[in-house]
Amino acid sequence: IRTNLIYVPSAALETVSVIDGRTNRVRTTIPFKGRPSEIAINERTNRIYVTNTVKDTVSVINGNTQAVIATIKVGSNPVIPPAINTITNRIYVANNLSRFLSVIDGRTNKLLKNVQLGRLQSEVVVNPRTNRIYVISAQVASAGKLFMINGSTNKIISTMVITDASSIF
């Protein structure tokens, strides 16, 4: 947002287009092998995180150079937008078809840990002030759980059964 650049994934073209918000023109197109799906941006570090649902990875783009600087293996089907704690510089990737949440260190671009959760994760949200991560494993029409995770230890601190859910804020 500070750079006024918009990142648009195209699964069909296997690219991420970078659009200049001032001119509304494509500045560059970044090629991907697989299917770029969801994007999260850390405005503090100017890093862009792109999930790849075919390769089960997250690619890190340097917002200054528009180059992919790292690709990190995560769980199966990372089709949910990643959540970023801008204070700790950790990225949380819910893996829809795996039983865990992937935690990435944004400083080293390495996988720190996989936190064991339930299947069919549908959303992940971070509260940077409390360093708590919330993950829903429910779908719109079926019961599931809400997991509350301590961001310092990456351990589950509480679990709630929920009847159904579509989103959390």
Side-chain angles (χ1 to χ4, degrees), residues 49-60:
Y49 299 88
V50 183
T51 64
N52 186 326
T53 56
V54 169
K55 301 288 186 178
D56 297 330
T57 59
V58 172
S59 292
V60 184

Side-chain angles (χ1 to χ4, degrees), residues 99-165:
R99 295 189 180 271
F100 56 85
L101 172 78
S102 299
V103 182
I104 297 170
D105 182 331
R107 187 179 54 76
T108 63
N109 294 320
K110 303 280 185 199
L111 181 68
L112 283 176
K113 181 174 178 106
N114 287 318
V115 180
Q116 184 74 39
L117 301 175
R119 285 183 55 91
L120 300 176
Q121 297 164 43
S122 57
E123 192 159 1
V124 57
V125 175
V126 172
N127 182 334
R129 292 204 166 129
T130 61
N131 199 17
R132 297 290 187 257
I133 298 86
Y134 302 89
V135 182
I136 289 181
S137 71
Q139 302 298 299
V140 173
S142 63
K145 293 182 180 178
L146 170 65
F147 297 91
M148 290 149 274
I149 301 164
N150 180 323
S152 296
T153 63
N154 295 315
K155 296 198 185 274
I156 297 170
I157 53 177
S158 183
T159 304
M160 295 175 81
V161 174
I162 54 176
T163 55
D164 60 16

Side-chain angles (χ1 to χ4, degrees), residues 36-92:
S37 179
E38 297 293 337
I39 292 179
I41 299 172
N42 186 335
E43 291 184 35
R44 283 188 170 183
T45 62
N46 200 16
R47 296 292 185 259
I48 297 83
Y49 299 88
V50 183
T51 64
N52 186 326
T53 56
V54 169
K55 301 288 186 178
D56 297 330
T57 59
V58 172
S59 292
V60 184
I61 298 172
N62 178 324
N64 295 323
T65 64
Q66 307 308 319
V68 175
I69 57 173
T71 299
I72 305 134
K73 186 76 172 159
V74 293
S76 182
N77 200 31
V79 70
I80 297 126
I84 299 173
N85 185 331
T86 57
I87 294 171
T88 63
N89 198 13
R90 289 193 177 171
I91 298 84
Y92 299 90

